[in-house]
Amino acid sequence: MGEFELIQRYFQPVARDTAHPDVKLGIGDDCAIQRIPPGHELVFSVDTLVEGVHFPSRYAPDRLARRALAVAASDLAAMGAKPVCFTLAMTLPKADAHWLERFSSELAQAGREFGLALAGGDTTRGPLTLTIQVHGTVPEGQALLRSGAQPGDLVVVSGTLGDAAAALDYLETGAPSQYQQTLLDRYNRPQPRLALGQLLRNRASAAIDISDGLLADLGHLLQASGCGAVIDAGRIPLSPALRDLAGEEAIGHALRGGDDYELCFTLPARFRDALHRQSPIPLQVIGDVVAEPGLTLLNADKHATPGRSGYEHFGADND
Amino acid sequence: MGEFELIQRYFQPVARDTAHPDVKLGIGDDCAIQRIPPGHELVFSVDTLVEGVHFPSRYAPDRLARRALAVAASDLAAMGAKPVCFTLAMTLPKADAHWLERFSSELAQAGREFGLALAGGDTTRGPLTLTIQVHGTVPEGQALLRSGAQPGDLVVVSGTLGDAAAALDYLETGAPSQYQQTLLDRYNRPQPRLALGQLLRNRASAAIDISDGLLADLGHLLQASGCGAVIDAGRIPLSPALRDLAGEEAIGHALRGGDDYELCFTLPARFRDALHRQSPIPLQVIGDVVAEPGLTLLNADKHATPGRSGYEHFGADND
């Protein structure tokens, strides 16, 4: 099967099924064309996923399609952007019809759910690798950056943390228990927090999606903002499934596991109550922004975070 | 060297050296942000280049950087777009400081020449592969598509064809002759026809860049436009270097070699004289658009294009 036939058979239908009115010209010319609504800016991000590095070898093609698009879309959520479209550059070891059928059909489904139209791409022969670039729009000047946190702001996270990281232990399990299945779903079907991200515009002072782990990503946010934070390990939201299955390791997964793609953001306290009421998912205040750089973790379980008893201090360089 | 350090050391300087006023936020946040001038649309294209497939193994890093960006920029030229910025997703077998230094320094140089700012990217470990997405803008509705050719339009190409394809025979040559060097430069340093592309707006009825060869790419244009063309092999522009070195094979390289990245476009005859005067590079009318689908080649050298004596007919499906 040549590249032309592969695109015609598997990816043209995805483009058709995910069509977005702002994509004026999609697959089939030298370039695609996207309209940007007046008073808006383009927001974009590119991510590469390599088999065996960013997802398991022989990972099911439908899971790969969904997870890859969700991970990419999560960067739009972190900016408060409205999703529009994406490109997919893909190297494939071979053109396996069954694999491509499952991959493209789930890609179309996930694209519709996230509001992302397939607008272009490239396919080449090689080790399985996906590069996805997502495009969204924000009203001028309203994108959420990492750099706006101010001392006195609250540190907030969405959902629960650590589930997907813990699930890596169960990926090969044949018949997972119900709790294992809950964690596996967090890994296989991450939910980019797109609605929450847009709700945070003009409210959150800074935001990031948790892709490398809470400590690392909050560290990036604080470094970009030139301040620090004190967070309380006891307030980090853990799911019942994670508490049950991981026991004392739960907090370690929550602090260092990045595969949940929840949002972490800083919020002036005056927005707290209204945001809690409006948010489509549970939010948890886990600490406060402080002027002094660095991240201080109170009440850390010493099994999970070796360090001085009761708290641990992470310098900005250690994040 | 970690990804963070690699970006800081080699790619942040590229971003700084190529800065474009429409890139409001570049490397370092979850997404980049691009302003789109009022009344304009975003034009974008993604290309993947794999070592050993799209460029020779152990290809010099400075040549790779320039050629990869030029190839990507050529798609903007074919749309008549003004270049703005690009993203680079790169898998590298290892972080070789000397290689990265040469690669990034030439990337900055080529980015400045083409008007393309580095706005984002991703680096991962793996076989050497580059995925570049280029962004440009056009005034609303003025992009050059493949689909607008009309019977009676002229078929025009820029520059000379076949040089880069012939150069593949000399890539390993230690001390190339002057003519060989001329062809090698066409392969190593393709010139995206950006100024010409913008000049063609509101003039050319359809355009494409020649990446797969004149016959193949003109075939794509004609198929998208629902018409055909008659072209004269004797009018296809060949360089003195190609004529001298390739002899009877010159025309074959010109018809089937795609590595020159010249533009092929269709033009209502009334624009011909003014365009010839204004074009920054020589243009050559090679034939006419006709209503009947398919591509007819007159006066083909039978050594180069096996077929019926004197002319050869390429059905739309054979392109």
Side-chain angles (χ1 to χ4, degrees), chain B residues 78-97:
Chain B
M79 302 295 282
K82 199 173 161 215
V84 177
C85 63
F86 70 104
T87 61
L88 169 64
M90 196 170 187
T91 60
L92 286 168
K94 60 185 160 75
D96 174 332

Side-chain angles (χ1 to χ4, degrees), chain B residues 22-174:
Chain B
D22 287 347
V23 178
K24 189 176 171 181
L25 182 70
I27 295 175
D29 212 304
D30 292 298
C31 291
I33 302 178
Q34 180 184 345
R35 287 188 196 91
I36 309 293
H40 285 64
E41 297 171 322
L42 174 72
V43 172
F44 58 100
S45 173
V46 63
D47 277 296
T48 296
L49 304 182
V50 180
E51 182 173 33
V53 181
H54 305 94
F55 59 92
S57 295
R58 294 184 298 282
Y59 194 47
D62 49 343
R63 288 178 175 167
L64 175 60
R66 171 170 292 271
R67 187 170 155 80
L69 196 61
V71 166
S74 179
D75 282 319
L76 293 178
M79 302 295 282
K82 199 173 161 215
V84 177
C85 63
F86 70 104
T87 61
L88 169 64
M90 196 170 187
T91 60
L92 286 168
K94 60 185 160 75
D96 174 332
H98 181 63
W99 192 97
L100 282 161
E101 183 54 55
R102 288 178 64 196
F103 179 88
S104 58
S105 138
E106 186 71 9
L107 188 67
Q109 178 66 34
R112 280 194 301 269
E113 285 176 32
F114 305 154
L116 285 166
L118 177 61
D122 197 3
T123 58
T124 52
R125 189 62 61 94
L128 183 58
T129 306
L130 273 66
T131 296
I132 291 183
Q133 180 162 325
V134 285
H135 289 198
T137 54
V138 284
E140 263 176 48
Q142 292 186 26
L144 302 170
L145 308 187
R146 294 180 179 180
S147 53
Q150 297 285 337
D153 289 347
L154 306 171
V155 178
V156 188
V157 296
S158 63
T160 59
L161 303 185
D163 295 334
L168 288 170
D169 293 341
Y170 312 117
L171 275 181
E172 308 292 325
T173 305

Side-chain angles (χ1 to χ4, degrees), chain B residues 261-279:
Chain B
Y261 293 94
E262 295 293 349
L263 295 186
C264 174
F265 56 95
T266 57
L267 186 76
R270 68 184 183 279
F271 294 125
R272 177 182 183 155
D273 293 345
L275 186 62
H276 267 289
R277 279 195 307 275
Q278 293 168 22
S279 177

